[in-house]
Amino acid sequence: MIPDFVNVDDLAQQLESGNVAVDLDPSLASGIDPVEIKNEISPLAEGSPVGDIGVVYLDQTPGMTADLRDIAQELSTKAPQDIIIVRAPGSGAVVSDAYSRADLETAQRALLSHPELSTGLQAFIDTLSHQSTPWPLINACIAVAAALVTSAAFTWERLRDSTN
């Protein structure tokens, strides 16, 4: 469930115009500068080797941390990025259709192990770029192996027929 204090449409609009969205509650007087966060995170999120990353920073954590995943899931349908990260104090969530849940959870642990946003995002990118299974390469190897087996079987059959 998406908490009342989160404006998903506003966050989606921010992600449309850049890779970082910030939602701060003025009553919390957190002292966090949204421009500073965007300047710190944008260079890492844009042109990342793991895909286009949308990073959302909330200055408060929902009562149920699972709500962060709901926010990320909702944003993934509205924002153009391949990967959506929602980060709140002490927690976070990651959603992507491009990576397996296992790879995302491993990278998410790396993200959350760093309290600083930029360090955590770099750890996320590093972990995810080394965790991904190279399916195109595996599929190409399987196709080459199948072609070799087929060719060998065809050649064997022709040789066997020519000796009879």
Side-chain angles (χ1 to χ4, degrees):
M1 188 168 93
I2 298 183
D4 293 336
F5 68 86
V6 175
N7 184 339
V8 173
D9 292 330
D10 177 57
L11 294 172
Q13 283 180 336
Q14 289 183 57
L15 290 175
E16 283 285 335
S17 63
N19 286 59
V20 181
V22 180
D23 187 10
L24 302 176
D25 183 349
S27 67
L28 294 178
S30 59
I32 296 169
D33 181 10
V35 174
E36 186 178 314
I37 290 174
K38 289 181 179 186
N39 290 340
E40 181 181 342
I41 299 302
S42 288
L44 293 171
E46 293 172 7
S48 159
V50 297
D52 199 16
I53 301 175
V55 180
V56 175
Y57 179 76
L58 306 175
D59 65 347
Q60 56 184 316
T61 305
M64 303 273 298
T65 55
D67 292 345
L68 293 172
R69 179 155 169 65
D70 293 342
I71 296 165
Q73 192 65 50
E74 183 70 20
L75 287 170
S76 74
T77 65
K78 296 180 177 194
Q81 289 82 7
D82 303 320
I83 301 168
I84 301 293
I85 297 173
V86 177
R87 188 75 164 91
S91 192
V94 180
V95 171
S96 175
D97 291 333
Y99 292 93
S100 73
R101 190 76 220 138
D103 286 347
L104 289 174
E105 287 177 2
T106 300
Q108 180 177 321
R109 280 192 293 279
L111 169 77
L112 297 176
S113 69
H114 298 278
E116 285 214 11
L117 283 173
S118 59
T119 309
L121 183 57
Q122 187 62 59
F124 173 86
I125 292 167
D126 292 344
T127 302
L128 192 58
S129 64
H130 292 102
Q131 286 291 331
S132 298
T133 306
W135 287 113
L137 179 61
I138 291 170
N139 289 338
C141 289
I142 290 170
V144 168
L148 288 173
V149 167
T150 303
S151 176
F154 181 73
T155 303
W156 174 264
E157 192 63 33
R158 282 187 51 197
L159 287 173
R160 201 174 93 193
D161 286 345
S162 68
T163 58
N164 288 337

